[in-house]
Amino acid sequence: MLQVNFLRDEKARVLEGLQKRNFKNPELVDLAVSTDDQRKKIQFELDSQLSEMNKISKEIGALMKEGKKEEAEAAKQKTTDIKERSKELQHELNEVEKSLLNILYQIPNIPNELVKAGVSETDNEIVFQNCDVEGLGEGAIPHWELAAKYNIINFELGVKIAGAGFPVYLGKGARLQRGLVQYFLDKNTEAGYIEVNPPHVVNEASGYGTGQLPDKEGQMYYINEDQLYLIPTAEVPVTNLYRDELLEERQLPILHTAFSQCYRREAGSYGAHVRGLNRLHQFEKVEIVRLEKPENSYAALDGMVEHVKGILEDLGLPYRILRLCGGDTGFGAAMTYDFEVWSAAQEKWLEVSSVSNFESFQANRLKCRYKADGKTQLVHTLNGSAMALPRIMAAILENNQTADGIAIPEKLRAYTGFDKI
């Protein structure tokens, strides 16, 4: 969430950034500022009324001591009138603050200056690609056929138990999944990330804190009886560890990694592009989260990109890195890099990780601040997938298939206990 003073003081920059995103409601910027002006006006009157009431209350005691009972009673009546007016003003203030918050929730983050304008994924910039994929994997069969051939993933059983998008991993498929999780966690902890095992459900405040609410409410599974949401990513509970926290400068940076199941309704997702492991309602992912001082956050983002890059190099997968354009950057992010692996059989790129800097956007919602040199300011938050498993699994199966099975990447063999399926 952007701060009102930023909208007020940097209006030209804000509007330019929103234009990069093709944001359709730039008038919300002026509405937020005017609503905040209204809030300030009501707050000033309320403060004045309360100050006047305190002043009169002190005068009442003096009047009673002097025996001026009639004047004291008149003063008491005046405080009663002020109390009533103060109640009205407090109600007005509460309503205006709610309105302001609702307006601010609708305004996305401002993209970093390096982010180019664009409408969709076709406008994203390719900033790195590790190999030429033309002709790579010629004659390969897709992972869902490999899964059936070697009995390692059963999609039909998942449909029987829960519905489409909930696959069942079997035998060496399950062991490969488990091995990938452990490998990713080990890589992250070796890089200095502290492991967290968070809840897989969050309350409404947590959803608002990281920006899943109200923007992505329709994509989340909701437990009505308990008013809890199944997490779409470990980013949500891990980042919310620091909601309403005032940190000391010495505590930064904070680095966490977490493994979790992820649950996404993916409403409206149908067709061949979501077949097999391409898009699921439940999947496993290992996340990395960082809290940084503002001046260090983009160096941290570069470091996260290099970290994920190293994981994909270890796995020997063909991949590329894209810097997302304004129109494809997520609501709360200032800059995002997507990692895509090449699907040998499907002959297309599959997104396996997004690494983003939210700057102070999430921290403002979370009220996550730190104190340095006597001043209090918002931290910068960053997160990324390191890694999401379904499409990594698909890429490993498709890119490593041989005439007599599927070769396991060398770096994973200590985790799986086998070198071939």
Side-chain angles (χ1 to χ4, degrees), residues 80 269 368 376 402:
T80 300
S269 296
C368 179
T376 299
T402 67

Side-chain angles (χ1 to χ4, degrees), residues 145-172:
E145 292 183 21
L146 292 168
K149 180 178 179 180
Y150 295 107
N151 195 29
I152 53 175
I153 308 170
N154 193 310
F155 296 98
E156 289 72 23
L157 277 179
V159 172
K160 173 183 176 181
I161 297 166
F166 299 90
V168 175
Y169 298 86
L170 303 165
K172 287 187 174 181

Side-chain angles (χ1 to χ4, degrees), residues 33-248:
V33 171
S34 63
T35 304
D36 188 53
D37 289 339
Q38 185 183 1
R39 180 195 65 78
K40 288 180 177 179
K41 183 179 178 182
I42 296 171
Q43 185 70 66
F44 179 80
E45 185 180 351
L46 177 60
D47 292 343
S48 298
Q49 290 284 335
L50 294 175
S51 177
E52 178 69 12
M53 187 169 66
N54 288 336
K55 179 183 174 184
I56 294 172
S57 295
K58 291 176 182 178
E59 291 174 354
I60 291 171
L63 290 170
M64 292 296 286
K65 286 181 181 179
E66 294 172 10
K68 299 177 180 179
K69 189 174 179 181
E70 289 185 9
E71 291 181 35
E73 290 299 323
K76 284 182 182 179
Q77 182 57 50
K78 193 172 182 180
T79 61
T80 300
D81 294 340
I82 292 174
K83 282 180 182 178
E84 288 301 312
R85 177 57 183 155
S86 296
K87 285 181 182 178
E88 293 173 3
L89 288 169
Q90 187 61 62
H91 177 72
E92 289 178 27
L93 183 63
N94 292 342
E95 292 302 308
V96 170
E97 286 177 341
K98 286 180 186 176
S99 296
L100 177 59
L101 199 58
N102 287 332
I103 295 166
L104 293 175
Y105 279 149
Q106 298 175 61
I107 302 174
N109 203 355
I110 304 305
N112 180 277
E113 60 184 12
L114 293 179
V115 175
K116 290 189 175 181
V119 178
S120 68
E121 60 185 22
T122 58
D123 299 312
N124 295 335
E125 299 176 82
I126 300 172
V127 296
F128 179 83
Q129 185 169 320
N130 74 333
C131 66
D132 182 6
V133 298
E134 187 176 349
L136 191 66
E138 192 172 338
I141 63 174
H143 65 272
W144 52 85
E145 292 183 21
L146 292 168
K149 180 178 179 180
Y150 295 107
N151 195 29
I152 53 175
I153 308 170
N154 193 310
F155 296 98
E156 289 72 23
L157 277 179
V159 172
K160 173 183 176 181
I161 297 166
F166 299 90
V168 175
Y169 298 86
L170 303 165
K172 287 187 174 181
R175 288 177 66 184
L176 177 55
Q177 278 278 102
R178 178 158 46 91
L180 279 165
V181 169
Q182 190 60 61
Y183 165 70
F184 294 150
L185 286 172
D186 284 353
K187 289 288 288 186
N188 296 343
T189 54
E190 286 167 12
Y193 291 87
I194 306 302
E195 186 175 352
V196 178
N197 189 348
H200 290 188
V201 294
V202 292
N203 55 27
E204 185 179 69
S206 296
Y208 273 95
T210 44
Q212 277 65 36
L213 298 176
D215 185 47
K216 299 179 179 67
E217 188 167 10
Q219 295 295 314
M220 298 173 72
Y221 284 100
Y222 183 60
I223 306 168
N224 189 59
E225 292 81 359
D226 302 302
Q227 298 181 323
L228 295 170
Y229 294 86
L230 295 179
I231 61 171
T233 166
E235 166 209 345
V236 184
V238 173
T239 311
N240 271 279
L241 294 173
Y242 299 95
R243 175 158 46 89
D244 298 320
E245 292 290 326
L246 178 59
L247 304 169
E248 295 294 333

Side-chain angles (χ1 to χ4, degrees), residues 300-364:
L301 179 65
D302 291 341
M304 293 169 76
V305 168
E306 288 302 311
H307 177 68
V308 175
K309 189 175 176 181
I311 292 175
L312 290 172
E313 292 284 353
D314 279 358
L315 294 176
L317 293 172
Y319 72 95
R320 68 181 185 180
I321 306 172
L322 301 93
R323 183 161 53 213
L324 302 192
C325 70
D328 202 33
T329 300
F331 187 87
M335 184 186 287
T336 296
Y337 290 97
D338 270 7
F339 288 76
E340 297 180 337
V341 293
W342 179 249
S343 167
Q346 301 174 73
E347 296 185 331
K348 67 178 182 179
W349 293 99
L350 303 175
E351 180 198 329
V352 294
S353 175
S354 284
V355 180
S356 300
N357 187 349
F358 293 84
E359 296 185 356
S360 62
F361 192 86
Q362 286 183 330
N364 191 33

Side-chain angles (χ1 to χ4, degrees), residues 247-253 371:
L247 304 169
E248 295 294 333
E249 185 179 16
R250 60 180 172 76
Q251 293 178 263
L252 298 174
K371 185 179 287 187

Side-chain angles (χ1 to χ4, degrees), residues 247-266:
L247 304 169
E248 295 294 333
E249 185 179 16
R250 60 180 172 76
Q251 293 178 263
L252 298 174
I254 292 172
L255 288 71
H256 284 309
T257 184
F259 159 69
S260 75
Q261 296 288 343
C262 302
Y263 305 89
R264 300 185 186 180
R265 292 186 61 236
E266 298 287 6

